[in-house]
Amino acid sequence: MVEEHGPGILMAAFIIVVGILFNPFAAKAEEFHWGFKKSVNGIPPDAGAALNSMLEKHGAIYKGKPDEKVAYLSFDNGYENGYTESILDTLKKENVPATFFLTGHYLKSAAPLVQRMVKDGHGIGNHSFDHPNMANLTEERMEEEWKKFDELLYKTTGVKRTNYARPPEGIFNDTVLRKGNELGYRHIFWSVAFIDWHANKPRGKAYAYNELMNQLHPGAVILMHTVSPDNAEALPDFIRDAKKAGYEFRTLDDLVLEYENVDMILR
């Protein structure tokens, strides 16, 4: 269940075309691997006109507005490696919300932690049930992946369904986004990420902290993996130092309201 976002995180977004090399928009041929050039000096990354247009069409989001120091924490959980409890403790101590994008395996194997996420007020996102390449599935199988996850989530926590989805390994296409919309799912990607999913290759607290601080920008949607001890160790200092730098942490619901230009009078 290890998630790998590959080198796409480190370079401009690109398209893998299966079978038809010179027609990236051929029907049922394309896969888009989410990626971008990392943020530097607080400047938000840009996925490029083609992907921006596709995401805009389907209401998919990867960053907030660039004029306000707000960040949104999200974690992808494919399996439990012993660090999620520490992350939850930090979030509770610092009074910071997050969204955990989970798989069916995680729901089955770490139910008490999922129940705590909900109890602590965090959001649960749909990372699919079996962690497949969603772009390779039929629309019927896509629906099965999302709905099977929601059914188990309801049995585990009482949460009726998820509203936000994130494709495994960041692989998607127009059909994934469109079908998700039809079923009531909004895709949330990210604008801050780094290689942190190799559970057996820790790089140390400083590595994760520096990646997070160096890439931090207004409207940042931050992706981390809970399998990494580096993230669990770096998170307290990162949150405190981001706050000192003037950042506020908000929920994905807030991000969507901002994206829709809804005036948050009650804030």
Side-chain angles (χ1 to χ4, degrees):
M1 299 299 295
V2 177
E3 177 167 347
E4 296 185 2
H5 295 289
I9 289 174
L10 306 176
M11 62 183 69
F14 63 91
I15 301 171
I16 291 182
V17 180
V18 180
I20 304 177
L21 295 178
F22 300 104
N23 184 3
F25 298 103
K28 298 182 180 179
E30 73 273 24
E31 287 183 1
F32 298 85
H33 289 229
W34 184 248
F36 45 81
K37 186 177 180 180
K38 290 181 180 180
S39 170
V40 178
N41 297 324
I43 301 173
D46 194 311
L51 287 183
N52 284 336
S53 177
M54 176 183 288
L55 268 61
E56 177 73 21
K57 180 173 69 172
H58 298 291
I61 308 173
Y62 69 98
K63 60 183 177 181
K65 294 181 179 179
D67 56 357
E68 191 174 9
K69 284 189 172 183
V70 176
Y72 308 87
L73 285 179
S74 68
F75 297 87
D76 285 4
N77 299 54
Y79 65 96
E80 179 52 35
N81 198 37
Y83 303 108
T84 305
E85 184 174 8
S86 172
I87 288 170
L88 288 170
D89 289 345
T90 295
L91 296 174
K92 186 172 184 178
K93 181 178 180 181
E94 298 297 332
N95 192 28
V96 166
T99 299
F100 292 85
F101 286 86
L102 311 178
T103 62
H105 173 82
Y106 196 89
L107 287 176
K108 291 186 289 186
S109 63
L113 286 170
V114 179
Q115 291 161 357
R116 180 181 170 184
M117 292 170 191
V118 173
K119 181 180 178 181
D120 286 357
H122 300 299
I124 304 297
N126 197 321
H127 202 36
S128 79
F129 192 86
D130 288 317
H131 204 267
N133 178 337
M134 297 293 286
N136 282 344
L137 303 183
T138 64
E139 292 187 28
E140 290 75 18
R141 283 281 292 112
M142 292 177 192
E143 181 172 355
E144 180 181 343
E145 282 290 327
W146 290 318
K147 288 191 172 181
K148 189 176 179 181
F149 176 90
D150 279 347
E151 289 169 1
L152 183 54
L153 178 66
Y154 178 68
K155 292 178 182 178
T156 304
T157 67
V159 174
K160 291 185 177 180
R161 62 158 294 164
T162 54
N163 296 308
Y164 305 126
R166 177 173 285 168
E169 300 185 24
I171 302 174
F172 68 103
N173 58 18
D174 188 84
T175 304
V176 172
L177 300 182
R178 175 185 57 77
K179 187 63 178 179
N181 284 173
E182 291 176 3
L183 297 171
Y185 300 103
R186 190 166 199 151
H187 276 80
I188 306 293
F189 291 87
W190 58 88
S191 62
V192 173
F194 51 98
I195 297 174
D196 66 343
W197 55 85
H198 296 303
N200 60 342
K201 297 179 181 179
R203 300 190 182 188
K205 170 184 174 180
Y207 164 74
Y209 173 85
N210 289 334
E211 286 285 353
L212 290 165
M213 291 301 295
N214 290 339
Q215 293 187 57
L216 185 61
H217 64 84
V221 178
I222 299 169
L223 164 64
M224 286 184 276
H225 291 81
T226 59
V227 297
S228 169
D230 303 343
N231 292 337
E233 293 169 7
L235 189 61
D237 287 346
F238 166 66
I239 289 175
R240 287 192 289 266
D241 289 348
K243 287 179 177 178
K244 288 178 183 177
Y247 279 84
E248 177 185 348
F249 291 90
R250 296 180 187 167
T251 69
L252 292 188
D253 288 341
D254 293 329
L255 174 64
V256 169
L257 290 172
E258 179 187 87
Y259 179 88
E260 298 290 352
N261 292 312
V262 175
D263 185 13
M264 288 176 278
I265 298 174
L266 299 178
R267 181 172 302 288

